[in-house]
Amino acid sequence: MRSPASRRSLACLLLAQASGVCAAQSPFATRVLEYTPSPGQNVGHAAFNDPSRALGPPVGGGTSAADNSKVVTLGGFGGSITLGFDHAIIDRPPTATNPTGADLIVFGNAFWAGGNPDLRWAEPGVIEVSRDDNTNGLADDTWYVVRGSHLPQVPQQSYAAVTFESGATRSGYRIEDGAFLGASPVLQNPLGSGLQGAYGYADCAPTLALGDFDGDGTPDRDDADPAWFYTVP
């Protein structure tokens, strides 16, 4: 279970390359373009400040006990990590099995507080996506905010300076603690019925252990493929 010392805030950035398709595509991020944590917990801790841990498949601990072995701290509000993929991310429309039309997932170490699925220890973060239009391999093109469930309707394209609760600024949109967090990083489901009431951010829901299809904490299949298990919304 995550201790208070391992808490971190998230504000993840992702870069999808448009310049060609690699022969062996990975469904997970393959490179770190930038890592700029803000002053905060565990920034100086070797177990949490290695950005390469964000590459490849996640490691899940389940609904009641998070696994921190692949967690990267972003420090306080305003910290960010920019990851790159070896192929373009395709914007696909919603389907019956993917009603929100999620095209990418950012994993964190949230878990159910006290076993209650409507009360989660979580630190939601803003996600932004960019495409390497100028094909220089750098994250210097236009960025697009992934609109979360608590963000107001915004133009599809934006690059606005925002003041977070701590006073730090960076591109994105303001996230207020009072919007979906209390005094502590406990996310309360606004629907209160077991339905997913907060979405569009990083680290809202627990990352299940590989092969745990029913979320009971015990893998149901030992041969589950991470490339499939962790890429289905």
Side-chain angles (χ1 to χ4, degrees):
M1 182 171 291
R2 180 174 52 178
S3 67
S6 67
R7 290 168 48 188
R8 79 280 175 272
S9 68
L10 286 168
C12 298
L13 307 180
L14 303 136
L15 176 72
Q17 289 184 284
S19 55
V21 178
C22 297
Q25 295 182 357
S26 171
F28 307 105
T30 57
R31 60 190 180 125
V32 177
L33 287 90
E34 184 178 12
Y35 177 51
T36 54
S38 292
Q41 287 184 322
N42 294 316
V43 171
H45 198 307
F48 295 97
N49 64 7
D50 179 2
S52 67
R53 292 184 177 218
L55 303 179
V59 175
T63 58
S64 60
D67 188 310
N68 291 328
S69 61
K70 291 203 68 177
V71 168
V72 180
T73 181
L74 300 183
F77 283 111
S80 67
I81 186 170
T82 308
L83 307 176
F85 294 86
D86 61 10
H87 63 287
I89 297 173
I90 306 300
D91 183 11
R92 303 185 188 279
T95 64
T97 56
N98 185 10
T100 63
D103 299 306
L104 58 88
I105 305 171
V106 181
F107 296 90
N109 57 350
F111 59 87
W112 292 353
N116 183 352
D118 291 330
L119 194 64
R120 304 175 186 183
W121 187 274
E123 295 155 313
V126 171
I127 303 169
E128 297 180 72
V129 180
S130 183
R131 185 174 64 181
D132 191 15
D133 286 322
N134 60 16
T135 67
N136 67 354
L138 302 176
D140 58 358
D141 295 276
T142 302
W143 285 92
Y144 298 84
V145 176
V146 176
R147 179 174 174 262
S149 56
H150 292 72
L151 293 179
Q153 186 65 50
V154 296
Q156 188 175 26
Q157 176 178 330
S158 76
Y159 197 77
V162 177
T163 300
F164 289 87
E165 291 293 303
S166 65
T169 60
R170 56 173 284 335
S171 63
Y173 278 87
R174 181 182 175 92
I175 289 188
E176 300 180 16
D177 278 352
F180 52 90
L181 296 178
S184 62
V186 176
L187 171 65
Q188 297 189 29
N189 184 1
L191 300 182
S193 61
L195 299 175
Q196 183 67 25
Y199 54 86
Y201 309 103
D203 196 36
C204 279
T207 300
L208 297 181
L210 180 62
D212 181 10
F213 289 88
D214 54 10
D216 65 354
T218 302
D220 303 292
R221 284 180 52 182
D222 295 330
D223 61 345
D225 180 8
W228 178 86
F229 186 79
Y230 290 118
T231 58
V232 178

